[in-house]
Amino acid sequence: MESLNSLLNGFAVALTWQHIFLAFVGCFLGTIIGALPGLGPSNGVAILIPLAFTLGLEPTAAMILLTSVYYGAMYGGRISSILLNIPGDEPALMTTLDGYPMAQQGRAGEALSLSGVASFVGAFFATWGLVFLAPQLVKVALLFGPAEYFALFALAFATLGGITSKNQAKAAFAAALGIVIAMVGVDGQTGVPRFTFGEVHLYDGIDFLVAIVGLFALSEVFLFLEHRGDGTGEGKSAKVSIGRITPSWALLKSCTPTMLRSSFIGFIAGVLPGAGASLGSFISYSLEKKMVDKDGTFGTGDPRGVAAPEAGNNAAAGGALVPMLALGVPGSGTTAVLLAMLLALNITPGPLLFISNPDVVWGLIAALFLGNFMLLAMNIPMVGMFVRVLLIPPRILMPIVAMISFVGIYGISGSTFDLMVMIVFGLLGWVLRKLDVPLVPVILGILLGNNMEDNLRRAMTISDGDWSALLSSPLAIGLWIVSITGFVLPILLGGIIRRRMRRDDIGAVKD
Amino acid sequence: MSDRIFGGVGLLFASLFIWAAFHIELSFISDPVGPRTFPIIIAIVMAISSVFIIFKPDVEPEWPRLGRMMEILAAAGVMVAYALALPIAGFLIATAVAAAFLTWRLGTTPLWSIVSGTLTSIGIYTVFHLILGLSLARGPFGF
């Protein structure tokens, strides 16, 4: 009940003209960013954060804009999956399996609208889940002391490499690299400069927005330069006819159980730290295939095979906001980027956020509901317009992405030095991506590194330097056990799951 | 081989980091842990993962050929030049040139690259400066 009251207050915050407008702009841009192959929700949010910042939006408004972009991009990812057989972002990969065959059979319109509805169902239930689960998690989090927080950060790092990354050693390396970058600057506790090499610009540390935009957006530009002319996205345009746009009631009805089941599974996958939307869509699809695919129609254009991953990945996107808002530990790459935004606005996510800034949290959650309805409205009748966006070739688009990244960072600091740092991060991001080192742990390390150290040192100060204090409470021990399992389990299970994912993927290409 | 080199570089970096951490000055105010310990712990994690990467490398990634590699470096060079030129030449001119270069290198014909670069620059200027009121770098002509 308490949650519902807070949610009503949230609607009072969200339903101002400025916020409605921002949600609309965010949903619209997000859908476009999601639809373009290569640009996913994390890139989209990364490019727009500095802009939201330089435009001087107040925290609630900025978060509404960016989470709308996030939800929008999760919706948009399916468009190129269905029409071009190229997933707009990683979570939309599973949607290609049945979406593209449907499009080839001339049912593209149906696939698009059905997946739009499935996205809506997934996101809608996940947002309700957020309303009820996040405050519960906050209650648990209030029991946290510095030692427990330190363990929680370890948990976030341990699981973030997660099942979708191929090599746990690389995920660990990436996290350590991020923390190392966070160490640059003046030490908060003693005021001693660290790793600054006497460079005054580095005393404030490396701004994580600069690092994020470089790692995500600029490295994408370099990847496109590398693959120029290889046919990635270029020259392929949406030639398939869209067909009828509104899905029939019979079709919706037959897919309803699928959508509900997948929403639930996706939400759980999203809440688990590190698993994220890709896993949400993968598990939903495979489970649905096991449950209902009696005559082997999955993979040949079965509408349920479109509904399942779309409901799953959008539900996971909502689920990933739960640990991000309640604990300050992001559940996915994009929520890590959103976390950066909150920190940049001087708002520390975590249990206190619900107490000290209820208007931000509940306004944000209300805006998610609002955005979700807008996205449904946009994605059924206006889908034809988004399809046309796919005709913009990357050779025009990528320079625009690069230039907007520069505008955003220059707008924040007006410093040429920051732009240089961003370019260095762009190159670093390119090398890391080539070497299959995941970028999200790097970002998380930059974001949480200082916080993690502060909590360790605070715990040690309380215990007067006794390291066993880190394992003094059952909660802390529990968190350490979960983190170790979370780190080791993917080594055992990851191979199996990835092999399956790849097999499904290859199967789709052959079709 | 790439992963082995990467692991080697990681190991080297971790050792340098530990060395640098030992050289952090200690201030008179200090907590039991101090500013050195945590960086050293992290560097050890980094070193251990580097060793794992050296002993269990992934499949070799496909590196671009030398020409493409130069292409990427050239693009980075143009971006650096762009960053340096921004406060001098102003947003409109610098952006038009940099965007035209990137568009050209991504496979557009030179003439259309200039058109596209100019339009990109004017478009961003219109949306972000004229409509949204963001202050962009001013050049000698005031834009």
Side-chain angles (χ1 to χ4, degrees):
Chain A
M1 257 357 258
E2 211 183 310
S3 297
L4 288 180
N5 275 334
S6 314
L7 183 62
L8 275 180
N9 290 334
F11 271 106
V13 174
L15 289 174
T16 64
W17 284 114
Q18 192 209 8
H19 292 163
I20 294 173
F21 175 71
L22 285 173
F24 176 80
V25 172
C27 291
F28 185 79
L29 284 178
T31 311
I32 291 181
I33 290 168
L36 293 163
L39 290 181
S42 23
N43 306 66
V45 178
I47 301 167
L48 289 173
I49 283 184
L51 285 175
F53 207 68
T54 41
L55 289 173
L57 294 180
E58 37 101 20
T60 319
M63 281 312 285
I64 288 177
L65 174 71
L66 292 168
T67 39
S68 304
V69 172
Y70 174 43
Y71 265 30
M74 298 303 299
Y75 268 74
R78 72 195 210 286
I79 297 177
S80 58
S81 293
I82 291 171
L83 291 177
L84 306 178
N85 205 18
I86 305 168
D89 49 41
E90 205 199 356
L93 178 70
M94 304 310 286
T95 312
T96 56
L97 303 184
D98 282 277
Y100 187 61
M102 271 184 88
Q104 284 176 314
Q105 295 156 17
R107 292 158 75 199
E110 238 181 327
L112 283 170
S113 56
L114 173 67
S115 58
V117 174
S119 300
F120 173 79
V121 172
F124 186 72
F125 280 105
T127 315
W128 277 115
L130 178 64
V131 169
F132 291 110
L133 194 58
Q136 300 308 316
L137 213 54
V138 168
K139 283 184 194 145
V140 180
L142 287 174
L143 305 171
F144 278 37
E148 287 78 14
Y149 264 110
F150 182 68
L152 182 70
F153 288 130
L155 170 69
F157 286 116
T159 51
L160 205 66
I163 292 176
T164 41
S165 118
K166 292 183 189 115
N167 187 330
Q168 290 299 81
K170 284 183 179 173
F173 183 92
L177 180 65
I179 299 175
V180 161
I181 295 167
M183 293 295 106
V184 175
V186 173
D187 170 34
Q189 312 238 338
T190 59
V192 178
R194 295 191 289 182
F195 315 109
T196 53
F197 313 105
E199 171 70 59
V200 188
H201 289 292
L202 289 176
Y203 274 54
D204 289 339
I206 291 169
D207 192 331
F208 38 67
L209 295 180
V210 173
I212 286 174
V213 178
L215 284 176
F216 282 111
L218 281 194
S219 71
E220 195 70 47
V221 176
F222 291 131
L223 271 187
F224 264 97
L225 263 173
E226 181 196 341
H227 291 293
R228 176 190 56 156
D230 293 1
T232 3
E234 188 90 31
K236 254 198 170 185
S237 54
K239 284 189 201 105
V240 271
S241 66
I242 306 270
R244 78 171 269 171
I245 282 249
T246 39
S248 64
W249 280 115
L251 181 69
L252 284 182
K253 224 173 125 189
S254 71
C255 291
T256 303
T258 300
M259 289 192 246
L260 293 179
R261 275 193 297 266
S262 303
S263 303
F264 180 74
I265 295 161
F267 179 72
I268 304 285
V271 173
L272 298 175
S278 311
L279 193 73
S281 69
F282 171 70
I283 294 185
S284 312
Y285 183 86
S286 353
L287 230 73
E288 209 49 35
K289 189 173 170 178
K290 280 227 171 72
M291 276 187 76
V292 297
D293 187 24
K294 302 276 184 278
D295 35 9
T297 50
F298 267 55
T300 60
D302 189 316
R304 290 169 302 183
V306 175
E310 277 308 312
N313 79 32
N314 286 273
L321 289 171
V322 174
M324 186 269 218
L325 290 174
L327 302 176
V329 172
S332 70
T334 318
T335 44
V337 180
L338 287 171
L339 181 70
M341 179 67 196
L342 278 177
L343 292 174
L345 291 164
N346 277 327
I347 292 175
T348 314
L352 288 178
L353 179 64
F354 281 76
I355 296 159
S356 56
N357 297 79
D359 48 327
V360 175
V361 189
W362 292 104
L364 173 73
I365 295 175
L368 290 177
F369 279 110
L370 190 72
N372 213 9
F373 279 100
M374 283 183 185
L375 282 164
L376 182 70
M378 272 182 209
N379 272 278
I380 306 290
M382 285 160 73
V383 80
M385 201 180 67
F386 290 119
V387 167
R388 226 157 288 147
V389 173
L390 294 176
L391 297 173
I392 305 177
R395 62 197 158 84
I396 306 287
L397 191 76
M398 290 327 279
I400 298 178
V401 168
M403 294 302 124
I404 291 182
S405 310
F406 278 98
V407 169
I409 294 299
Y410 193 77
I412 293 177
S413 63
S415 125
T416 309
F417 182 79
D418 278 355
L419 295 182
M420 302 290 185
V421 175
M422 178 174 84
I423 298 164
V424 171
F425 271 101
L427 286 172
L428 178 71
W430 178 74
V431 174
L432 292 180
R433 285 165 91 155
K434 293 301 289 180
L435 291 167
D436 250 336
V437 177
L439 294 183
V440 172
V442 182
I443 294 295
L444 205 64
I446 300 176
L447 278 182
L448 301 182
N450 289 318
N451 232 325
M452 192 176 182
E453 184 185 19
D454 285 349
N455 278 293
L456 172 71
R457 286 162 75 172
R458 221 170 287 152
M460 289 296 105
T461 309
I462 295 168
S463 73
D464 213 11
D466 177 12
W467 287 83
S468 67
L470 290 179
L471 293 172
S472 58
S473 76
L475 192 56
I477 297 174
L479 285 168
W480 282 110
I481 293 175
V482 180
S483 7
I484 294 167
T485 329
F487 189 73
V488 176
L489 210 59
I491 301 178
L492 307 172
L493 282 181
I496 303 169
I497 291 187
R498 269 196 317 278
R499 222 168 298 133
R500 289 233 181 118
M501 269 174 126
R502 211 172 308 137
R503 203 174 56 210
D504 284 340
D505 196 16
I506 291 164
V509 172
K510 262 190 266 170
D511 294 337
Chain B
M1 199 56 209
S2 296
D3 268 0
R4 296 232 153 100
I5 296 172
F6 171 59
V9 173
L11 208 52
L12 188 71
F13 184 78
S15 342
L16 280 174
F17 196 71
I18 291 177
W19 176 79
F22 272 111
H23 285 78
I24 295 171
E25 314 164 36
L26 292 180
S27 105
F28 59 93
I29 19 168
S30 201
D31 46 300
V33 176
R36 285 178 187 169
T37 318
F38 188 69
I40 294 173
I41 297 174
I42 295 305
I44 292 171
V45 171
M46 195 180 228
I48 296 172
S49 22
S50 300
V51 170
F52 269 97
I53 295 169
I54 293 174
F55 283 104
K56 224 173 145 268
D58 286 337
V59 197
E60 183 71 17
E62 215 175 287
W63 290 103
R65 263 187 251 156
L66 192 66
R68 272 301 153 79
M69 208 73 122
M70 296 317 285
E71 194 87 68
I72 289 169
L73 286 179
V78 167
M79 286 178 189
V80 170
Y82 170 68
L84 292 174
L86 257 184
I88 303 161
F91 176 83
L92 266 185
I93 297 173
T95 306
V97 174
F101 177 85
L102 288 177
T103 316
W104 173 51
R105 291 325 300 158
L106 281 164
T108 314
T109 54
L111 188 65
W112 280 112
S113 303
I114 294 170
V115 173
S116 162
T118 312
L119 288 179
T120 301
S121 179
I122 294 173
I124 294 179
Y125 188 82
T126 310
V127 173
F128 292 108
H129 183 69
L130 300 181
I131 299 179
L132 297 174
L134 201 68
S135 63
L136 299 169
R138 271 177 203 280
F141 312 108
F143 50 78

